[in-house]
């Protein structure tokens, strides 16, 4: 049907929400993040809508194959987006319907791009950071100084920062495994002053009858008052309280990623850098600059939280000077 061509990146209407409610319940039972819940729900909706609102239990490998091929051929999605859609559908069948999908064959795979990451020079990183102020300056300094992903920074909690050992423990990582990275000494005092202001905000919330924060997994039931404790509060709380979409409870979430993304984009333009940089570019720069300084690639791998060293190896291509480190003949005459 013609409407299928508009499926990519669009919220689609769907009738009969029983199966979707089951999906949502299983996702929450497994303690998946709200972002994963929203992503999986949308892909499952699109899959059902693509197949004329048929019940997923009445479909199988053929329908899944057709949908994934449609995304690649008509939607022209990236390989990672196609894989994301497949993971959502696989979750639906395995975890919700308890059905094993057979071999998904004849799928037109989206072409996987091979890009060398964009990296700021040390001077560029310094210029961008100096353009920022206050909390945004501190957050971007942590992205670059610790090699954090954007969401890892925003989800930091007070208890994760160890000023004595100069280290930060990263939770809620991409691979769901904790890791430890350094706390730059130059950020210790600014971070302490920031936390004093955050604590004052938290105490004000408590006085007003709020002050509870969302806890991971089932800790809220296991420790009923932990969500009010200072240790569990976000290091970078939002300016305003909001309603939690899962529980309906009013509380203070962490800063939204768009706030920092916009600030970084604006700073990049302001200092005249033409590279297509973003918040994640600071993580790439962190890794590249450590390797340039002579640190062992295994150490950098651990700091970044990469499961496979081959993922970290991509930064060795960045530190080669010129094309593969070769001196141009023009520079020899």
């Amino acid at each position: 049907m013609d409407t299928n061509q508009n499926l990519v990146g669009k919220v689609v209407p769907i009738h009969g929400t029983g199966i979707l409610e089951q999906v949502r319940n299983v996702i929450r039972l497994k303690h998946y993040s709200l972002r994963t819940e929203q992503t999986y729900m949308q892909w499952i909706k699109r899959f059902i809508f693509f197949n004329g609102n048929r019940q997923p239990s009445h479909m199988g490998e053929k329908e899944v194959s057709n949908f994934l091929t449609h995304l690649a051929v008509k939607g022209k999605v990236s390989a990672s987006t196609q894989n994301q859609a497949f993971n959502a559908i696989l979750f639906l069948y395995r975890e919700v319907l308890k059905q094993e999908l057979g071999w998904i064959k004849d799928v037109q795979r989206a072409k996987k791009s091979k890009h060398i990451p964009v990296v700021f020079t040390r001077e560029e990183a310094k210029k961008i950071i100096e353009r920022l102020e206050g909390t945004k300056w501190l957050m971007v300094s942590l992205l670059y100084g610790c090699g954090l992903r954007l969401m890892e920074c925003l989800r930091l909690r007070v208890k994760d920062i160890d000023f004595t050992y100069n280290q930060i423990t990263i939770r809620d990582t991409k691979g769901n495994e904790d890791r430890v990275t350094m706390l730059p000494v130059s950020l210790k005092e600014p971070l302490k002053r920031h936390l004093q202001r955050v604590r004052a905000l938290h105490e004000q919330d408590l006085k007003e009858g709020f002050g509870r924060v969302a806890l991971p997994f089932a800790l809220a039931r296991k420790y009923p008052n932990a969500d009010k404790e200072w240790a569990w509060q976000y290091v970078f709380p939002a300016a305003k309280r909001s309603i939690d979409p899962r529980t309906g409870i009013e509380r203070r979430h962490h800063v939204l990623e768009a706030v920092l993304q916009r600030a970084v984009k604006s700073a990049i333009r302001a200092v005249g850098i033409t590279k297509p940089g973003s918040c994640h570019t600071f993580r790439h720069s962190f890794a590249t600059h450590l390797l340039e300084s002579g640190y062992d690639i295994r150490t950098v791998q651990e700091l970044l939280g990469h499961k496979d060293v081959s993922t970290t190896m991509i930064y060795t291509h960045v530190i080669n000077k010129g094309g593969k480190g070769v001196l141009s003949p023009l520079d020899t005459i």
Side-chain angles (χ1 to χ4, degrees):
M1 60 178 108
D2 293 338
T3 53
N4 288 344
Q5 296 181 12
N6 299 320
L7 281 172
V8 180
K10 182 178 180 180
V11 177
V12 298
I14 191 165
H15 306 295
T17 59
I19 186 65
L20 299 179
E21 194 61 36
Q22 292 179 48
V23 172
R24 181 179 288 108
N25 290 339
V26 175
I27 287 175
R28 294 183 180 182
L29 184 66
K30 291 182 174 293
H31 311 298
Y32 285 17
S33 70
L34 179 59
R35 174 173 292 194
T36 300
E37 176 183 323
Q38 292 169 338
T39 301
Y40 276 21
M41 292 291 286
Q42 280 305 314
W43 279 122
I44 291 169
K45 285 181 184 179
R46 292 169 193 170
F47 169 63
I48 296 173
F49 182 71
F50 176 83
N51 288 286
N53 281 1
R54 292 168 59 197
Q55 286 294 327
S57 57
H58 297 161
M59 297 187 283
E61 295 84 353
K62 179 182 177 182
E63 288 79 8
V64 174
S65 177
N66 289 341
F67 177 64
L68 295 176
T69 297
H70 167 81
L71 291 178
V73 176
K74 298 283 187 176
K76 301 187 184 303
V77 301
S78 66
S80 60
T81 299
Q82 190 186 44
N83 286 334
Q84 186 184 74
F86 177 63
N87 288 335
I89 297 169
L90 196 62
F91 179 88
L92 167 67
Y93 279 94
R94 283 184 177 175
E95 305 297 337
V96 182
L97 298 176
K98 303 299 182 183
Q99 296 178 15
E100 280 295 332
L101 285 173
W103 178 250
I104 308 297
K105 58 183 179 179
D106 300 326
V107 175
Q108 182 71 42
R109 303 298 295 180
K111 187 175 181 180
K112 190 170 184 177
S113 302
K114 293 183 179 179
H115 298 300
I116 293 177
V118 176
V119 172
F120 296 130
T121 65
R122 285 176 167 82
E123 187 61 30
E124 287 171 339
K126 181 181 178 182
K127 285 182 178 179
I128 297 168
I129 292 172
E130 288 178 345
R131 189 76 186 187
L132 299 165
E133 297 179 346
T135 302
K136 296 182 182 69
W137 170 85
L138 184 55
M139 287 191 285
V140 174
S141 296
L142 286 172
L143 295 182
Y144 177 53
C146 310
L148 304 184
R149 298 179 178 92
L150 174 58
M151 293 309 299
E152 290 172 348
C153 176
L154 300 184
R155 289 171 177 162
L156 280 177
R157 303 196 188 237
V158 174
K159 66 181 183 60
D160 297 329
I161 299 175
D162 190 327
F163 288 103
T164 302
Y165 287 99
N166 295 334
Q167 66 183 30
I168 297 176
T169 302
I170 313 300
R171 324 275 182 184
D172 299 324
T173 66
K174 195 173 181 180
N176 267 337
E177 293 183 3
D178 294 352
R179 76 175 190 277
V180 174
T181 188
M182 76 283 281
L183 168 61
V185 175
S186 59
L187 293 182
K188 286 181 68 173
E189 290 308 314
L191 191 52
K192 286 180 180 179
R193 291 194 296 270
H194 168 77
L195 288 176
Q196 288 176 352
R197 294 190 293 271
V198 174
R199 185 156 198 168
L201 180 64
H202 174 57
E203 290 175 353
Q204 183 61 38
D205 280 346
L206 289 173
K207 289 179 181 178
E208 295 176 6
F210 298 98
R212 295 184 180 275
V213 69
L215 294 182
F217 311 133
L219 285 175
R221 292 194 299 272
K222 189 174 182 180
Y223 305 107
N225 294 315
D227 57 357
K228 297 172 69 174
E229 293 177 4
W230 166 237
W232 281 99
Q233 303 305 306
Y234 286 118
V235 173
F236 300 109
K240 296 180 180 180
R241 296 190 296 264
S242 58
I243 303 297
D244 188 316
R246 283 182 165 177
T247 64
I249 298 173
E250 181 178 343
R251 51 191 171 197
R252 198 176 294 275
H253 197 50
H254 58 65
V255 172
L256 293 177
E257 57 265 41
V259 172
L260 194 57
Q261 288 169 337
R262 287 194 295 266
V264 167
K265 286 290 185 182
S266 178
I268 291 172
R269 288 193 298 268
V271 298
I273 294 174
T274 57
K275 294 177 182 177
S278 67
C279 290
H280 203 67
T281 306
F282 287 102
R283 176 173 161 88
H284 294 323
S285 305
F286 165 86
T288 303
H289 297 165
L290 285 181
L291 290 172
E292 285 178 341
S293 298
Y295 286 98
D296 179 75
I297 194 167
R298 294 286 182 179
T299 301
V300 178
Q301 176 193 357
E302 290 182 10
L303 290 172
L304 292 173
H306 289 161
K307 289 186 177 181
D308 194 326
V309 72
S310 63
T311 307
T312 317
M313 286 290 291
I314 193 171
Y315 299 109
T316 62
H317 299 291
V318 181
I319 62 177
N320 289 330
K321 296 181 180 178
K324 299 187 180 299
V326 177
L327 185 66
S328 168
L330 182 64
D331 295 328
T332 65
I333 60 175

